[in-house]
Amino acid sequence: MNHKLASLAAAGVCTLLLGSTPLGAQAPGARSDNSTDARRPRIGLALSGGSARGFAHVGVLQVLEEAGVPVDAIAGTSMGSVVGGLYSSGLSTEELRAVASEVDWGRMFSDAPDRRNLPVERKAEEGRTVFGLPIIDGTPRLPSGIVQGQRVTQLLTGLTWRVHPVRDFRDLPVPFVAIATDAETGEAVVLDHGFLADAIRASLAIPSVFAPVEIEGRYLIDGGIVRNLPTPEVLELGADIVICSDVTKPLATADSLQTLVDILTQTMAFRTVERRDVDAELCDVMIQPDIEGLKSADFANAEEIIARGRAAAESALSEFEGLGIAGYANTRPEIDDNPLTEVARVSQVRVEGLEHTSEASVRRILGLDVPSDVDVRDVNAAVSRVYDTGMFQRVSYRLDPAPNGSDRVLTVRVKDEGRSWVGGSYRYEGRYKASILATAAVRNLLLEGSTLLADLRLGEQTRASAEILKRFGWNVAPLVGLKAEYKRGPFDLYEDGNRVAEPRVKVGHLQGFLGLGLGYSTALGVAIKFEGVESEGAELVPDWSSEDRTYFTMSGVVKVDTWDRLAFPRSGVQVVGKTEWGDGALASDGGGFSQHMLDVDAAVPLSSAISLRGRAVVGTSDGDDLPSQYLFFIGGANPFYLYPDRQFSFAGQRVMESRGRNLQMLNVGLQWEVTHNLFALARWNTAALPEEWRFDTDDFITGFGGGVGLTSRLGFARLMVTGGSNADAVRFEIDLGYLF
């Protein structure tokens, strides 16, 4: 540090602010020259990686601005590249604070789209698997990272919206470089040009968490592996004095190395810390925020972490004054009025990377009418729609200047390999015990834009199915499907509160569907089904008969799904309506039957934590030839999915304890999210199952229940205590795993 000061003093260089110099009026694409004021040294800032701990850099920047310390260049690694790159692009320290504290960073570590953004035909894929492996070239493979980084890429792209045209990062309001690691050679890679959001994302690619980023033929991962404190790079940007903000986690002490994970983490940190110690020698001012007790994933504690960064920087104020680099006014470069702001005039849309999907399809899904004025939200929503189709591995975008100079060209870049995957899941509940699920979703198998969803459920309830769906367009668009299914399982038959029979039923069917998809939430149409059933008899049950028959049915179907999540939804509605007519003419004793059902299940938020749950189901059947498995059944506090349009949960009854040709049911409850992902549940329900359609209060039975629910990465858990008007005892019911 002293050798630099001596050199500067010998040259007679004194310090002065660079604030509203030509840089303050620069436009992206015009190279800045932060050395126009020769009376002070150029000041560079090196920001280390450290995951959530890197939010401390925001506090450091706040203090630098308040103390009048100008920043002429920034080099950042990992989270340091996020903070440094966004600041260099023009975000204020207050905007950075909002990004750190208001963004749901937990969601950034997931590629799963919001459930409400899934097309209705894709909602069946969601929320059922404990693990999934991508299918690449027809073979399941381990992924290169837990997440591809779609969400975080969109976030960074939106936040750097105003400087999309900049290709040389020295032309940013503050010159900037990001540091990444070449996954093949292990070399540090200096990212000083290209697309800023991609460079930041590459520097942030934590191994095994985020997939690598390919830039110019190199696969790049987190720069912290080889250069967590990028002081050499900020010197190469022309800095005379280097201020370092370092949140590198020190090596653990011997007494804290207790587990295999501790040892592995320590082993991987050796190189990082060794290189960091070398690079720290180049710092003129070292700011080391207190990171004691902070974890890499403490994103929820952003405000505290920022405060620790402020405290560390304030303790270095005397060093800034001693170097003569404090006390200047207007240290923050201004952005010219010409760069992209939140609204841009888009005159053209381009789509790059298409191999299997037509450009017309992508344009329809984007739904952007150009030329028009668009903002960040418009474009992000459009890009999310394309990604949520499941047809692309990645979808990103950039805004480039149009030939006329004033308008913009929106370039949407896709990796046109459908997100095919294979996964597995489990479930345990009191009646049918353990079940496992093997499932797969395959894109573009038979038709461009199609999805094949295949399931195999093993357990006391067995189910195998394959369904292919294809939507022709977006918004209001034709939707076609073909489904083959086989299922086998027991039916519990009760008389006078006692289970008297447990016949096994085998059902196989082939079904075609033709209808319309309406945006994200709704589908309606007509289904034609050819079904065969083989059922055991039950001598003690008069309304149940053994069957070995085949029949056709035709049905009109409507489905609406706006639930925000599958397990314990806070808001939204699920509606299933079906009217079905059957013709048993293929059987020797052929005859007709019909069944009509409407199921409305809603969640209405009463506050940020409490939701009112309500469900109403009505159903009626007609015809002497109604198959026995078409009877309506209620019972059990937990949902079952083998016959979801005929079997309904009901607190106060055992599974399938009551049945009938007609159903009237009302369920009302409260759901309180006590803490994140922990719920308190209460419900009351009443139902009647008359043999002939009528409404008589004497027919109704009631039940109630209360319990707790929990969601986690390993699935959900629900424990309910139930009772009812005709229950012989209070019952405890447990449900673990996933919903399938």
Side-chain angles (χ1 to χ4, degrees), residues 175-391:
F176 170 74
V177 297
I179 312 303
T181 301
D182 189 315
E184 180 180 7
T185 66
E187 298 173 343
V189 179
V190 178
L191 299 173
D192 58 4
H193 66 280
F195 188 59
L196 181 59
D198 287 348
I200 297 173
R201 165 69 178 84
S203 181
L204 187 66
I206 305 168
S208 78
V209 176
F210 287 117
V213 176
E214 182 180 0
I215 296 180
E216 298 179 353
R218 306 178 82 172
Y219 286 88
L220 305 180
I221 57 177
D222 194 319
I225 297 172
V226 293
R227 185 68 51 76
N228 204 47
L229 187 62
T231 49
E233 288 72 25
V234 79
L235 286 169
E236 290 174 5
L237 285 174
D240 300 307
I241 291 179
V242 178
I243 300 172
C244 296
S245 179
D246 182 23
V247 290
T248 304
K249 184 179 179 181
L251 292 174
T253 58
D255 59 353
S256 64
L257 299 175
Q258 302 295 325
T259 68
L260 173 64
V261 174
D262 294 335
I263 298 296
L264 290 175
T265 302
Q266 182 89 333
T267 303
M268 292 187 295
F270 286 148
R271 184 182 181 188
T272 298
V273 174
E274 180 182 18
R275 180 68 205 194
R276 176 262 173 209
D277 291 342
V278 173
D279 293 332
E281 295 293 326
L282 301 175
C283 299
D284 295 285
V285 179
M286 171 62 77
I287 300 173
Q288 289 185 290
D290 176 18
I291 61 173
E292 182 68 28
L294 296 177
K295 299 179 181 179
S296 298
D298 276 348
F299 295 98
N301 294 326
E303 293 289 353
E304 178 188 346
I305 297 172
I306 291 172
R308 294 194 188 190
R310 285 190 61 91
E314 288 168 350
S315 68
L317 288 175
S318 60
E319 294 187 65
F320 302 148
E321 294 168 356
L323 290 169
I325 58 174
Y328 297 94
N330 301 322
T331 60
R332 175 65 176 156
E334 297 178 359
I335 298 179
D336 188 79
D337 291 337
N338 189 42
L340 294 180
T341 56
E342 290 189 358
V343 177
R345 180 74 175 176
V346 174
S347 60
Q348 183 181 354
V349 175
R350 297 173 180 162
V351 183
E352 297 178 350
L354 292 172
E355 296 179 6
H356 308 290
T357 309
S358 70
E359 183 171 340
S361 296
V362 176
R363 288 178 176 273
R364 281 196 301 269
I365 298 169
L366 283 169
L368 296 174
D369 294 324
V370 295
S372 63
D373 292 333
V374 299
D375 64 18
V376 175
R377 290 165 295 186
D378 298 329
V379 177
N380 269 323
V383 168
S384 292
R385 282 197 296 270
V386 176
Y387 178 77
D388 292 347
T389 63
M391 298 300 155

